[in-house]
Amino acid sequence: MAGAIALGALAGVVGFIPLMVGLHLTKYATATSNFGHMSILIIALIVSFALMFAFAFVCITFARDFAMPFVLAEAVALSVVAIAFGIVRLVRK
């Protein structure tokens, strides 16, 4: 079970990467562009959810007994990384 939790936490961290990339790409969007800030962030959110669901699907397919700890660790890790990212950005300013 510890392996499932560790892999779930790793999957949660990987699931946050598209959100960071999307936030970085919003710096290059102009105010009048058709592909605005919100579009980039929504696509990043969809990619992040797709990654999270794909990891959960793989876990359910290969190790159904460990699916619950994996998915919970994945969600908690994503939340912790997002909160830590926000706090670090707030403290830097």
Side-chain angles (χ1 to χ4, degrees):
M1 184 181 313
I5 293 172
L7 288 175
L10 181 65
V13 171
V14 170
F16 186 70
I17 292 173
L19 298 174
M20 286 180 40
V21 170
L23 187 62
H24 179 71
L25 289 177
T26 58
K27 294 177 185 176
Y28 301 110
T30 61
T32 59
S33 69
N34 290 334
F35 199 63
H37 301 84
M38 194 57 71
S39 301
I40 293 170
L41 292 176
I42 288 175
I43 289 173
L45 185 66
I46 290 170
V47 170
S48 177
F49 279 154
L51 276 173
M52 301 277 286
F53 284 127
F55 287 135
F57 181 75
V58 168
C59 179
I60 290 169
T61 302
F62 292 113
R64 185 174 290 268
D65 296 338
F66 298 114
M68 184 62 89
F70 179 88
V71 171
L72 289 176
E74 190 178 31
V76 168
L78 179 72
S79 300
V80 167
V81 170
I83 291 168
F85 179 76
I87 289 172
V88 167
R89 291 208 30 148
L90 183 67
V91 168
R92 280 188 176 173
K93 288 186 178 188

